[in-house]
Coordinates of all heavy atoms in Angstrom, one line a residue:
M1 N 24.1 -19.6 7.3 CA 23.6 -20.2 8.5 C 24.2 -21.6 8.7 O 24.2 -22.4 7.8 CB 22.0 -20.3 8.4 CG 21.3 -20.2 9.7 SD 19.6 -20.5 9.6 CE 19.0 -19.0 8.8
G2 N 24.6 -21.9 9.9 CA 25.3 -23.2 10.1 C 24.3 -24.3 10.3 O 23.1 -24.1 10.5
L3 N 24.8 -25.5 10.3 CA 23.9 -26.7 10.5 C 23.2 -26.6 11.8 O 22.0 -26.9 11.9 CB 24.8 -27.9 10.3 CG 24.0 -29.2 10.4 CD1 22.9 -29.3 9.3 CD2 24.9 -30.4 10.3
L4 N 23.9 -26.3 12.9 CA 23.3 -26.2 14.2 C 22.1 -25.2 14.2 O 21.1 -25.5 14.8 CB 24.3 -25.9 15.3 CG 23.8 -25.9 16.7 CD1 23.2 -27.3 17.0 CD2 24.9 -25.6 17.7
S5 N 22.4 -24.0 13.6 CA 21.3 -23.0 13.6 C 20.1 -23.5 12.8 O 19.0 -23.3 13.2 CB 21.8 -21.7 12.9 OG 22.9 -21.2 13.6
Q6 N 20.3 -24.2 11.7 CA 19.2 -24.7 10.9 C 18.4 -25.7 11.7 O 17.2 -25.7 11.7 CB 19.7 -25.3 9.6 CG 20.2 -24.3 8.6 CD 20.7 -24.9 7.3 OE1 20.7 -26.1 7.2 NE2 21.0 -24.1 6.4
V7 N 19.1 -26.6 12.4 CA 18.4 -27.6 13.3 C 17.6 -26.9 14.4 O 16.4 -27.3 14.6 CB 19.4 -28.6 13.8 CG1 18.7 -29.5 14.8 CG2 20.0 -29.4 12.7
V8 N 18.2 -26.0 15.0 CA 17.5 -25.3 16.1 C 16.3 -24.5 15.6 O 15.2 -24.4 16.3 CB 18.5 -24.4 16.9 CG1 17.8 -23.5 17.9 CG2 19.5 -25.3 17.6
L9 N 16.5 -23.8 14.5 CA 15.4 -22.9 14.0 C 14.4 -23.7 13.1 O 13.4 -23.0 12.6 CB 16.0 -21.8 13.2 CG 16.9 -20.8 14.1 CD1 17.5 -19.8 13.2 CD2 16.1 -20.2 15.2
F10 N 14.6 -24.9 12.8 CA 13.7 -25.7 11.9 C 12.2 -25.6 12.4 O 11.4 -25.4 11.5 CB 14.1 -27.1 11.8 CG 13.3 -27.9 10.9 CD1 13.4 -27.7 9.5 CD2 12.4 -28.8 11.3 CE1 12.6 -28.4 8.6 CE2 11.6 -29.5 10.5 CZ 11.7 -29.3 9.1
P11 N 11.9 -25.7 13.6 CA 10.5 -25.6 14.0 C 9.8 -24.2 13.7 O 8.6 -24.2 13.5 CB 10.5 -25.8 15.5 CG 11.8 -26.5 15.8 CD 12.8 -26.0 14.8
L12 N 10.7 -23.2 13.4 CA 10.1 -21.9 13.1 C 9.9 -21.7 11.6 O 9.4 -20.7 11.1 CB 11.0 -20.8 13.6 CG 11.1 -20.7 15.1 CD1 12.1 -19.6 15.5 CD2 9.8 -20.5 15.8
A13 N 10.3 -22.7 10.8 CA 10.2 -22.6 9.3 C 8.8 -22.3 8.8 O 8.6 -21.4 8.0 CB 10.8 -23.9 8.7
P14 N 7.8 -23.0 9.4 CA 6.4 -22.7 8.9 C 6.0 -21.2 9.2 O 5.4 -20.6 8.4 CB 5.5 -23.7 9.7 CG 6.4 -24.8 10.0 CD 7.8 -24.2 10.3
V15 N 6.4 -20.7 10.3 CA 6.1 -19.3 10.7 C 6.8 -18.4 9.7 O 6.2 -17.4 9.2 CB 6.6 -19.0 12.2 CG1 6.4 -17.6 12.5 CG2 5.8 -19.9 13.1
R16 N 8.1 -18.6 9.4 CA 8.8 -17.8 8.5 C 8.1 -17.8 7.1 O 8.0 -16.8 6.4 CB 10.2 -18.2 8.4 CG 11.0 -17.8 9.6 CD 12.5 -17.9 9.4 NE 12.9 -19.1 8.8 CZ 13.6 -20.1 9.5 NH1 14.0 -19.9 10.7 NH2 14.0 -21.2 8.9
G17 N 7.6 -19.0 6.7 CA 6.9 -19.1 5.4 C 5.6 -18.3 5.4 O 5.3 -17.7 4.4
V18 N 4.9 -18.4 6.5 CA 3.6 -17.7 6.6 C 3.9 -16.2 6.5 O 3.2 -15.4 5.9 CB 2.8 -18.1 7.8 CG1 1.6 -17.1 8.1 CG2 2.3 -19.5 7.7
V19 N 4.9 -15.7 7.2 CA 5.2 -14.3 7.2 C 5.6 -13.9 5.8 O 5.2 -12.8 5.3 CB 6.4 -14.0 8.2 CG1 7.0 -12.6 8.0 CG2 5.9 -14.2 9.7
W20 N 6.4 -14.7 5.1 CA 6.8 -14.3 3.7 C 5.6 -14.2 2.8 O 5.5 -13.2 2.1 CB 7.8 -15.4 3.2 CG 8.3 -15.1 1.8 CD1 9.3 -14.2 1.5 CD2 7.7 -15.5 0.6 NE1 9.4 -14.2 0.1 CE2 8.5 -15.0 -0.4 CE3 6.6 -16.4 0.3 CZ2 8.2 -15.2 -1.8 CZ3 6.4 -16.6 -1.0 CH2 7.1 -16.1 -2.1
V21 N 4.7 -15.2 2.9 CA 3.5 -15.1 2.1 C 2.6 -13.9 2.5 O 2.1 -13.2 1.6 CB 2.6 -16.4 2.3 CG1 1.3 -16.3 1.6 CG2 3.4 -17.6 1.7
A22 N 2.5 -13.6 3.7 CA 1.7 -12.4 4.2 C 2.3 -11.1 3.6 O 1.6 -10.2 3.2 CB 1.6 -12.4 5.7
E23 N 3.6 -11.0 3.6 CA 4.3 -9.8 3.1 C 4.0 -9.7 1.6 O 3.8 -8.6 1.1 CB 5.8 -9.9 3.3 CG 6.1 -9.7 4.8 CD 7.6 -9.8 5.1 OE1 8.4 -10.4 4.2 OE2 8.0 -9.5 6.2
R24 N 4.1 -10.8 0.8 CA 3.8 -10.8 -0.6 C 2.3 -10.3 -0.9 O 2.1 -9.5 -1.7 CB 4.0 -12.1 -1.3 CG 5.5 -12.7 -1.2 CD 6.6 -11.9 -1.8 NE 7.1 -10.7 -1.1 CZ 7.9 -10.8 0.0 NH1 8.3 -11.9 0.5 NH2 8.3 -9.7 0.5
V25 N 1.4 -10.9 -0.1 CA 0.0 -10.5 -0.2 C -0.2 -9.0 0.0 O -0.9 -8.3 -0.7 CB -0.9 -11.4 0.7 CG1 -2.3 -10.8 0.7 CG2 -0.9 -12.8 0.2
R26 N 0.4 -8.5 1.1 CA 0.3 -7.1 1.4 C 0.9 -6.2 0.3 O 0.3 -5.2 -0.1 CB 1.1 -6.8 2.7 CG 0.9 -5.4 3.2 CD 2.0 -4.9 4.2 NE 3.3 -5.1 3.6 CZ 4.4 -5.5 4.3 NH1 4.3 -5.7 5.5 NH2 5.5 -5.6 3.7
D27 N 2.0 -6.6 -0.3 CA 2.6 -5.9 -1.4 C 1.7 -5.8 -2.6 O 1.6 -4.7 -3.1 CB 4.0 -6.5 -1.8 CG 5.1 -6.4 -0.7 OD1 4.9 -5.6 0.2 OD2 6.1 -7.1 -0.9
V28 N 1.1 -6.9 -2.9 CA 0.2 -6.9 -4.1 C -1.1 -6.0 -3.7 O -1.5 -5.3 -4.6 CB -0.2 -8.3 -4.4 CG1 -1.4 -8.3 -5.4 CG2 1.0 -9.1 -5.0
A29 N -1.6 -6.1 -2.5 CA -2.8 -5.3 -2.2 C -2.4 -3.8 -2.2 O -3.2 -3.0 -2.7 CB -3.2 -5.7 -0.8
E30 N -1.3 -3.5 -1.7 CA -0.9 -2.1 -1.7 C -0.7 -1.6 -3.1 O -1.1 -0.5 -3.5 CB 0.4 -1.9 -1.0 CG 0.3 -1.9 0.5 CD 1.6 -1.8 1.3 OE1 2.7 -1.8 0.6 OE2 1.6 -1.7 2.5
E31 N -0.2 -2.4 -4.0 CA 0.0 -2.1 -5.4 C -1.3 -1.8 -6.1 O -1.5 -0.9 -6.8 CB 0.8 -3.1 -6.1 CG 1.0 -2.9 -7.6 CD 1.8 -1.7 -7.9 OE1 2.7 -1.3 -7.1 OE2 1.6 -1.1 -9.0
E32 N -2.3 -2.7 -5.8 CA -3.6 -2.5 -6.4 C -4.3 -1.3 -5.9 O -5.0 -0.6 -6.6 CB -4.4 -3.8 -6.2 CG -4.0 -5.0 -7.0 CD -4.8 -6.2 -6.8 OE1 -5.8 -6.2 -6.0 OE2 -4.4 -7.2 -7.4
L33 N -4.2 -1.0 -4.6 CA -4.9 0.1 -4.0 C -4.3 1.4 -4.4 O -4.9 2.5 -4.5 CB -4.9 0.0 -2.5 CG -5.8 -1.0 -1.9 CD1 -5.6 -1.1 -0.4 CD2 -7.2 -0.7 -2.2
C34 N -3.0 1.4 -4.7 CA -2.3 2.7 -5.1 C -2.1 2.8 -6.6 O -1.3 3.6 -7.1 CB -1.0 2.7 -4.4 SG -1.1 3.0 -2.6
H35 N -2.8 1.9 -7.4 CA -2.7 2.0 -8.9 C -3.3 3.3 -9.3 O -4.4 3.7 -8.8 CB -3.3 0.8 -9.5 CG -3.0 0.7 -10.9 ND1 -3.7 1.4 -11.9 CD2 -2.0 -0.1 -11.6 CE1 -3.2 1.0 -13.1 NE2 -2.2 0.2 -12.9
P36 N -2.7 4.0 -10.2 CA -3.2 5.3 -10.7 C -4.7 5.3 -11.1 O -5.4 6.2 -10.8 CB -2.3 5.7 -11.8 CG -1.0 5.1 -11.5 CD -1.4 3.8 -10.9
S37 N -5.1 4.3 -11.8 CA -6.5 4.2 -12.3 C -7.5 4.1 -11.1 O -8.5 4.7 -11.1 CB -6.7 3.1 -13.3 OG -6.4 1.8 -12.7
V38 N -7.1 3.3 -10.1 CA -7.9 3.2 -8.9 C -8.0 4.5 -8.1 O -9.1 5.0 -7.7 CB -7.3 2.1 -7.9 CG1 -8.1 2.1 -6.6 CG2 -7.4 0.7 -8.6
L39 N -6.9 5.2 -8.0 CA -6.8 6.5 -7.4 C -7.7 7.6 -8.1 O -8.4 8.3 -7.5 CB -5.4 7.0 -7.2 CG -4.6 6.2 -6.2 CD1 -3.1 6.6 -6.2 CD2 -5.1 6.2 -4.8
R40 N -7.6 7.5 -9.4 CA -8.4 8.5 -10.2 C -9.9 8.2 -10.1 O -10.7 9.1 -10.0 CB -8.0 8.4 -11.7 CG -6.7 9.0 -12.0 CD -6.4 9.1 -13.5 NE -5.0 9.4 -13.7 CZ -4.1 8.5 -14.0 NH1 -4.4 7.2 -14.2 NH2 -2.8 8.9 -14.2
A41 N -10.3 6.9 -10.0 CA -11.7 6.5 -9.8 C -12.1 7.0 -8.4 O -13.3 7.5 -8.2 CB -11.9 5.0 -9.9
R42 N -11.3 6.9 -7.4 CA -11.6 7.3 -6.1 C -11.8 8.9 -6.0 O -12.6 9.4 -5.3 CB -10.6 6.9 -5.1 CG -10.7 5.3 -4.9 CD -9.6 4.8 -4.0 NE -9.5 5.3 -2.7 CZ -8.5 5.1 -1.8 NH1 -7.5 4.3 -2.2 NH2 -8.6 5.5 -0.6
L43 N -10.9 9.6 -6.8 CA -11.1 11.0 -6.9 C -12.4 11.4 -7.6 O -13.1 12.4 -7.1 CB -9.9 11.6 -7.7 CG -8.6 11.8 -6.9 CD1 -7.5 12.1 -7.8 CD2 -8.8 12.9 -5.9
A44 N -12.8 10.7 -8.6 CA -14.1 11.0 -9.3 C -15.2 10.7 -8.3 O -16.2 11.5 -8.3 CB -14.2 10.1 -10.5
A45 N -15.2 9.6 -7.6 CA -16.2 9.3 -6.6 C -16.3 10.4 -5.5 O -17.4 10.8 -5.1 CB -16.0 8.0 -6.0
L46 N -15.1 10.9 -5.1 CA -15.1 12.0 -4.1 C -15.7 13.2 -4.7 O -16.5 13.9 -3.9 CB -13.6 12.2 -3.8 CG -13.3 13.2 -2.6 CD1 -13.9 12.6 -1.3 CD2 -11.8 13.4 -2.5
N47 N -15.4 13.6 -5.9 CA -16.1 14.7 -6.5 C -17.6 14.6 -6.6 O -18.3 15.5 -6.3 CB -15.5 15.0 -7.9 CG -14.2 15.7 -7.9 OD1 -13.9 16.5 -7.1 ND2 -13.3 15.2 -8.8
E48 N -18.1 13.4 -6.9 CA -19.5 13.1 -7.0 C -20.1 13.3 -5.6 O -21.2 13.8 -5.4 CB -19.8 11.8 -7.5 CG -19.5 11.6 -9.0 CD -19.7 10.2 -9.5 OE1 -20.3 9.4 -8.8 OE2 -19.2 9.9 -10.7
A49 N -19.4 12.8 -4.6 CA -19.9 12.9 -3.2 C -20.0 14.4 -2.8 O -21.0 14.8 -2.1 CB -19.0 12.1 -2.3
L50 N -19.1 15.2 -3.2 CA -19.1 16.6 -2.9 C -20.3 17.3 -3.6 O -21.0 18.0 -3.0 CB -17.8 17.3 -3.2 CG -17.7 18.8 -3.0 CD1 -17.8 19.1 -1.5 CD2 -16.5 19.4 -3.6
E51 N -20.4 17.0 -4.9 CA -21.5 17.6 -5.6 C -22.9 17.2 -5.1 O -23.8 18.0 -5.2 CB -21.3 17.2 -7.1 CG -20.1 17.9 -7.8 CD -19.9 17.4 -9.2 OE1 -20.7 16.6 -9.7 OE2 -18.9 17.9 -9.8
S52 N -23.0 16.0 -4.7 CA -24.3 15.5 -4.2 C -24.6 15.9 -2.7 O -25.7 15.8 -2.2 CB -24.4 14.0 -4.2 OG -23.5 13.4 -3.3
G53 N -23.6 16.5 -2.1 CA -23.8 17.0 -0.7 C -23.5 15.9 0.3 O -23.8 16.2 1.5
A54 N -23.0 14.8 -0.1 CA -22.8 13.7 0.9 C -21.6 14.0 1.8 O -21.6 13.5 3.0 CB -22.5 12.4 0.2
I55 N -20.7 14.8 1.4 CA -19.6 15.2 2.2 C -19.4 16.7 2.1 O -19.8 17.4 1.2 CB -18.2 14.5 1.8 CG1 -17.9 14.9 0.4 CG2 -18.3 13.0 2.0 CD1 -16.5 14.4 0.0
G56 N -18.8 17.3 3.1 CA -18.5 18.7 3.2 C -17.2 19.1 2.5 O -16.4 18.2 2.1
S57 N -17.0 20.4 2.3 CA -15.8 20.8 1.6 C -14.5 20.5 2.4 O -13.5 20.2 1.8 CB -15.9 22.3 1.3 OG -16.0 23.1 2.4
E58 N -14.6 20.6 3.7 CA -13.4 20.3 4.5 C -13.0 18.8 4.3 O -11.8 18.5 4.1 CB -13.6 20.6 6.0 CG -13.6 22.1 6.3 CD -13.7 22.4 7.8 OE1 -13.5 21.4 8.6 OE2 -14.1 23.5 8.1
E59 N -13.9 18.0 4.4 CA -13.7 16.5 4.3 C -13.2 16.2 2.9 O -12.2 15.5 2.7 CB -14.9 15.7 4.6 CG -14.7 14.2 4.5 CD -15.9 13.4 4.9 OE1 -17.0 14.0 5.2 OE2 -15.9 12.2 4.7
F60 N -13.8 16.9 1.9 CA -13.4 16.8 0.5 C -11.9 17.2 0.3 O -11.1 16.4 -0.3 CB -14.3 17.6 -0.4 CG -13.8 17.6 -1.9 CD1 -14.1 16.6 -2.7 CD2 -13.0 18.7 -2.3 CE1 -13.6 16.6 -4.0 CE2 -12.6 18.7 -3.6 CZ -12.9 17.6 -4.5
D61 N -11.6 18.4 0.8 CA -10.2 18.9 0.7 C -9.2 17.9 1.3 O -8.1 17.6 0.8 CB -10.1 20.3 1.3 CG -10.8 21.3 0.5 OD1 -11.1 21.1 -0.7 OD2 -11.1 22.4 1.1
R62 N -9.5 17.4 2.5 CA -8.6 16.5 3.2 C -8.4 15.2 2.5 O -7.2 14.8 2.2 CB -9.2 16.2 4.6 CG -8.2 15.7 5.6 CD -8.8 15.6 7.0 NE -10.2 15.2 7.1 CZ -11.2 16.0 7.5 NH1 -11.0 17.3 7.8 NH2 -12.4 15.6 7.5
E63 N -9.5 14.6 2.0 CA -9.4 13.4 1.3 C -8.7 13.6 -0.1 O -7.9 12.8 -0.6 CB -10.7 12.7 1.1 CG -10.7 11.4 0.5 CD -10.0 10.3 1.3 OE1 -9.7 10.5 2.5 OE2 -9.8 9.2 0.7
E64 N -9.1 14.7 -0.8 CA -8.5 15.0 -2.1 C -6.9 15.1 -2.0 O -6.2 14.6 -2.8 CB -9.1 16.2 -2.7 CG -8.5 16.6 -4.0 CD -9.0 17.9 -4.6 OE1 -9.1 18.9 -3.8 OE2 -9.3 18.0 -5.8
D65 N -6.5 15.8 -0.9 CA -5.0 16.0 -0.7 C -4.4 14.6 -0.5 O -3.3 14.4 -1.1 CB -4.8 16.9 0.5 CG -5.1 18.4 0.2 OD1 -5.2 18.7 -1.0 OD2 -5.2 19.1 1.2
R66 N -5.0 13.8 0.3 CA -4.4 12.5 0.5 C -4.4 11.6 -0.7 O -3.3 11.0 -1.0 CB -5.3 11.7 1.6 CG -4.7 10.5 2.1 CD -5.6 9.8 3.1 NE -6.7 9.2 2.5 CZ -6.7 8.0 1.9 NH1 -5.6 7.4 1.7 NH2 -7.8 7.5 1.4
L67 N -5.4 11.6 -1.5 CA -5.5 10.9 -2.8 C -4.5 11.4 -3.8 O -3.8 10.7 -4.5 CB -6.9 10.8 -3.4 CG -7.9 10.0 -2.6 CD1 -9.3 10.2 -3.1 CD2 -7.5 8.5 -2.6
L68 N -4.4 12.7 -3.9 CA -3.4 13.3 -4.8 C -2.0 13.0 -4.4 O -1.2 12.8 -5.3 CB -3.7 14.8 -4.9 CG -4.9 15.3 -5.7 CD1 -5.1 16.8 -5.6 CD2 -5.0 14.8 -7.1
D69 N -1.7 13.0 -3.1 CA -0.4 12.6 -2.7 C -0.1 11.2 -3.0 O 1.0 10.9 -3.5 CB -0.3 12.8 -1.2 CG 1.1 12.6 -0.6 OD1 2.0 13.1 -1.2 OD2 1.2 11.8 0.4
L70 N -1.1 10.3 -2.8 CA -0.9 8.9 -3.2 C -0.7 8.8 -4.7 O 0.2 8.0 -5.2 CB -2.0 8.0 -2.8 CG -2.2 7.8 -1.3 CD1 -3.5 7.1 -1.0 CD2 -1.0 6.9 -0.8
L71 N -1.4 9.5 -5.5 CA -1.3 9.5 -7.0 C 0.1 10.0 -7.4 O 0.7 9.4 -8.3 CB -2.4 10.3 -7.6 CG -2.5 10.3 -9.1 CD1 -2.8 8.8 -9.6 CD2 -3.6 11.2 -9.6
E72 N 0.5 11.0 -6.8 CA 1.9 11.6 -7.1 C 2.9 10.5 -6.8 O 3.9 10.3 -7.6 CB 2.1 12.8 -6.3 CG 3.4 13.5 -6.7 CD 3.6 14.8 -5.9 OE1 2.7 15.7 -5.9 OE2 4.6 14.9 -5.2
R73 N 2.8 9.9 -5.6 CA 3.8 8.9 -5.2 C 3.8 7.7 -6.2 O 4.8 7.1 -6.6 CB 3.5 8.4 -3.8 CG 3.9 9.3 -2.8 CD 3.7 8.6 -1.4 NE 3.5 9.6 -0.4 CZ 3.3 9.2 0.9 NH1 3.2 7.9 1.2 NH2 3.2 10.1 1.8
S74 N 2.6 7.3 -6.6 CA 2.5 6.1 -7.4 C 3.0 6.3 -8.8 O 3.5 5.4 -9.5 CB 1.0 5.6 -7.5 OG 0.2 6.5 -8.3
G75 N 2.9 7.5 -9.3 CA 3.4 7.8 -10.6 C 4.9 8.0 -10.7 O 5.5 7.9 -11.8
S76 N 5.6 8.2 -9.5 CA 7.0 8.5 -9.6 C 7.9 7.4 -9.1 O 9.1 7.5 -9.1 CB 7.3 9.7 -8.7 OG 7.0 9.4 -7.3
R77 N 7.3 6.2 -8.8 CA 8.1 5.1 -8.4 C 7.7 3.8 -9.1 O 6.6 3.7 -9.6 CB 7.8 4.8 -6.9 CG 8.3 5.9 -6.0 CD 8.1 5.5 -4.6 NE 8.6 6.6 -3.7 CZ 7.8 7.1 -2.8 NH1 6.6 6.7 -2.6 NH2 8.3 8.1 -2.0
S78 N 8.6 2.9 -9.2 CA 8.3 1.6 -9.7 C 7.5 0.8 -8.7 O 7.5 1.1 -7.5 CB 9.6 0.9 -10.1 OG 10.3 0.5 -8.8
P79 N 6.8 -0.2 -9.1 CA 6.0 -1.0 -8.2 C 6.7 -1.6 -7.0 O 6.3 -1.5 -5.9 CB 5.4 -2.1 -9.1 CG 5.4 -1.6 -10.5 CD 6.6 -0.7 -10.5
G80 N 7.9 -2.1 -7.3 CA 8.7 -2.7 -6.2 C 9.2 -1.6 -5.2 O 9.2 -1.8 -4.0
E81 N 9.5 -0.5 -5.8 CA 10.0 0.6 -4.9 C 8.8 1.2 -4.1 O 9.0 1.5 -2.9 CB 10.6 1.7 -5.8 CG 11.2 2.9 -5.0 CD 11.7 4.0 -5.9 OE1 11.7 3.8 -7.1 OE2 12.2 5.0 -5.3
R82 N 7.6 1.3 -4.7 CA 6.5 1.7 -3.9 C 6.2 0.8 -2.7 O 5.9 1.3 -1.6 CB 5.2 1.8 -4.8 CG 5.1 3.0 -5.6 CD 3.7 3.1 -6.1 NE 3.4 2.0 -7.0 CZ 3.6 2.1 -8.3 NH1 4.0 3.1 -8.9 NH2 3.3 1.0 -9.1
A83 N 6.3 -0.5 -2.9 CA 6.0 -1.4 -1.9 C 7.0 -1.3 -0.7 O 6.7 -1.3 0.4 CB 6.0 -2.9 -2.4
R84 N 8.3 -1.1 -1.1 CA 9.3 -1.0 -0.1 C 9.1 0.3 0.7 O 9.2 0.4 1.9 CB 10.7 -1.0 -0.7 CG 11.1 -2.4 -1.1 CD 12.6 -2.4 -1.4 NE 12.9 -1.5 -2.5 CZ 12.8 -1.8 -3.8 NH1 12.4 -3.0 -4.2 NH2 13.2 -0.9 -4.7
V85 N 8.9 1.4 0.0 CA 8.8 2.7 0.7 C 7.5 2.8 1.5 O 7.5 3.3 2.6 CB 8.8 3.9 -0.4 CG1 8.4 5.2 0.3 CG2 10.2 3.9 -1.0
S86 N 6.4 2.2 1.0 CA 5.1 2.3 1.8 C 5.2 1.6 3.1 O 4.5 2.0 4.0 CB 4.0 1.8 0.9 OG 4.2 0.4 0.7
R87 N 6.1 0.6 3.3 CA 6.2 0.0 4.5 C 6.8 0.9 5.6 O 6.6 0.7 6.7 CB 7.2 -1.2 4.4 CG 6.5 -2.4 3.7 CD 7.4 -3.6 3.8 NE 7.2 -4.3 2.5 CZ 8.1 -4.9 1.8 NH1 9.4 -4.9 2.2 NH2 7.8 -5.5 0.7
H88 N 7.6 1.9 5.1 CA 8.3 2.8 6.0 C 7.5 4.1 6.2 O 8.0 4.9 7.0 CB 9.7 3.0 5.6 CG 10.5 1.8 5.4 ND1 10.8 1.0 6.5 CD2 10.9 1.1 4.4 CE1 11.5 -0.1 6.1 NE2 11.5 0.0 4.8
D89 N 6.5 4.4 5.5 CA 5.7 5.6 5.6 C 4.9 5.7 6.9 O 4.6 4.8 7.5 CB 4.8 5.8 4.4 CG 5.5 6.2 3.1 OD1 6.7 6.5 3.2 OD2 4.9 6.2 2.0

């Protein structure tokens, strides 16, 4: 980036900084939500909800498929790769 570009774009520096911080926060949040232990706990809670009658079998199947897909993805990628791929999903 040339000197002129830096001078012209300098007022946008705080915005770029906020965007960068927001992206890092999102990456960490996604990592925590897609951690295998969190997904397993959510599956266990889903099973309990089905057994107690709080949800029906169709809702259970739909949510179980979604959680198992997330669990499969989280186990096959590194944390950085998961964050990059999840932005494009």
Side-chain angles (χ1 to χ4, degrees):
M1 210 185 287
L3 181 61
L4 184 59
S5 297
Q6 288 180 356
V7 170
V8 171
L9 296 176
F10 182 71
L12 297 177
V15 174
R16 289 194 308 248
V18 169
V19 169
W20 182 84
V21 169
E23 288 174 348
R24 299 299 80 73
V25 169
R26 184 198 59 218
D27 291 346
V28 170
E30 286 177 354
E31 177 65 28
E32 288 179 4
L33 287 174
C34 292
H35 194 275
S37 62
V38 172
L39 293 173
R40 286 186 194 103
R42 290 171 63 190
L43 279 168
L46 186 64
N47 281 321
E48 290 177 14
L50 178 66
E51 290 173 3
S52 70
I55 61 171
S57 62
E58 286 183 19
E59 184 179 355
F60 172 82
D61 290 340
R62 197 171 39 249
E63 184 65 13
E64 181 187 40
D65 288 344
R66 190 180 72 77
L67 290 172
L68 289 173
D69 184 47
L70 288 172
L71 186 61
E72 183 179 305
R73 288 186 201 178
S74 70
S76 64
R77 295 188 181 122
S78 68
E81 184 181 356
R82 272 194 301 267
R84 283 191 302 276
V85 171
S86 64
R87 285 186 214 142
H88 302 291
D89 285 349

